[in-house]
Amino acid sequence: MFANRRLERKVDALHVKLDLIMTHLGIEAPAQVAPVRAVPSVPRGDGMAEIDALLLQGKKIHAIKRYRELTGCGLKEAKDAVERRYPY
């Protein structure tokens, strides 16, 4: 927790320094652009077989967790994907 906070402070300090340098050189900052969100990949082969096996055992929560591990997607996206795969 403290390591993350320390890194955040360092990044903030770097942003301030960069802003000062850009101002000194007369460079305008580009307009803010929304970050592009990566589309998580859908697991293929063994990954989906593992998820299907968990679902058949009635371990829906484990299947959602495993889907998230394989794809890196968020909880909502994983839940929706697993429920589409096995709706009941």
Side-chain angles (χ1 to χ4, degrees):
M1 181 173 131
F2 295 111
N4 288 340
R5 185 70 187 133
R6 185 175 36 224
L7 287 175
E8 288 174 7
R9 285 193 309 263
K10 285 183 178 182
V11 169
D12 289 341
L14 287 172
H15 279 279
V16 169
K17 290 178 183 179
L18 182 59
D19 288 341
L20 290 171
I21 292 169
M22 290 176 66
T23 302
H24 178 74
L25 295 174
I27 301 171
E28 291 186 29
Q32 291 291 335
V33 179
V36 177
R37 233 179 122 184
V39 177
S41 62
V42 177
R44 303 275 185 237
D46 293 340
M48 285 310 289
E50 184 179 353
I51 291 167
D52 289 339
L54 288 168
L55 288 171
L56 289 174
Q57 296 170 17
K59 298 181 179 182
K60 182 177 174 182
I61 293 173
H62 293 290
I64 293 169
K65 286 181 181 180
R66 185 64 184 138
Y67 190 91
R68 289 187 70 196
E69 289 172 0
L70 292 171
T71 63
C73 68
L75 180 60
K76 174 84 170 110
E77 294 87 1
K79 181 180 178 289
D80 291 344
V82 167
E83 286 178 345
R84 278 192 307 270
R85 185 96 176 149
Y86 197 77
Y88 41 90

